[in-house]
Amino acid sequence: MAIFVDADTRVIVQGATGKQGSYHLVRMLEYNVKVVGGVSPGKGGKTVQGVPIYDTIAEAKKETSIDASMILVPRPGS
């Protein structure tokens, strides 16, 4: 099975409101990646650079069409 990522790939960023998540989300937007949303539990309804944030992946999937996910969540205890 091959997975191809191209200009039409719609991406969700998990951990989008954290330090690393928001940094990389902004860089992705600068490179014209189609970021359709972010996920951060308890922060649904907010936005990061105009990208809507959802509480869960299930909620994001229901509201948007997602092809790929980028996970930027710190390890436990850090």
Side-chain angles (χ1 to χ4, degrees):
M1 177 178 161
I3 299 174
F4 296 100
V5 177
D6 61 20
D8 296 320
T9 303
R10 297 168 58 86
V11 180
I12 192 104
V13 177
Q14 296 182 54
T17 60
K19 182 179 178 182
Q20 291 297 317
S22 60
Y23 172 83
H24 288 289
L25 186 147
V26 170
R27 301 292 88 72
M28 292 168 70
L29 292 173
E30 289 173 353
Y31 278 88
N32 297 318
V33 174
K34 289 186 180 177
V35 180
V36 295
V39 175
S40 286
K43 297 185 180 177
K46 295 184 178 186
T47 62
V48 173
Q49 295 294 312
V51 175
I53 304 299
Y54 301 96
D55 287 316
T56 66
I57 288 290
E59 183 182 322
K61 186 175 179 182
K62 181 180 173 185
E63 297 293 323
T64 65
S65 177
I66 304 167
D67 298 312
S69 177
M70 182 172 184
I71 304 171
L72 295 158
V73 179
R75 64 189 169 135
S78 41

